[in-house]
Amino acid sequence: LLSLSQKIYEKESLVNKKVILFVGRLVGVKNVKTLINAYLNIKEEAILVIIGDGEEKRVLQALSVRSEEHTSE
């Protein structure tokens, strides 16, 4: 039997990839914006996964979309 985390890794094509994971409330005090900005500046290939909900969710989603547009240019 595969564990749930192994199933997620396979489903999301994360096997053999470096993953940066944040799990928590999406509120200002958690400073997830800084995590996203830091992720955009790392040289190593990795995938950022953010799991959570909170008052900053929409702002962080918008930042994420803008970041994807910027890095794909």
Side-chain angles (χ1 to χ4, degrees):
L1 282 182
L2 292 176
S3 70
L4 180 58
S5 61
Q6 287 174 317
K7 290 177 184 178
I8 292 170
Y9 264 70
E10 290 176 2
K11 179 181 178 216
E12 300 299 328
S13 301
L14 301 176
V15 176
N16 297 323
K17 294 183 182 174
K18 293 182 181 183
V19 176
I20 301 166
L21 175 64
F22 173 88
V23 180
R25 290 181 302 126
L26 302 178
V27 294
V29 71
K30 300 288 185 164
N31 227 349
V32 180
K33 288 180 194 175
T34 301
L35 174 62
I36 293 170
N37 289 325
Y39 168 73
L40 293 172
N41 290 307
I42 62 173
K43 304 287 187 228
E44 203 164 323
E45 245 184 82
I47 297 169
L48 176 61
V49 178
I50 298 173
I51 300 172
D53 199 5
E55 60 194 40
E56 288 208 337
K57 183 174 181 175
R58 289 188 179 156
V59 172
L60 295 170
Q61 286 175 325
L63 177 61
S64 175
V65 168
R66 283 196 308 272
S67 300
E68 287 177 12
E69 291 170 357
H70 175 71
T71 56
S72 65
E73 293 176 348

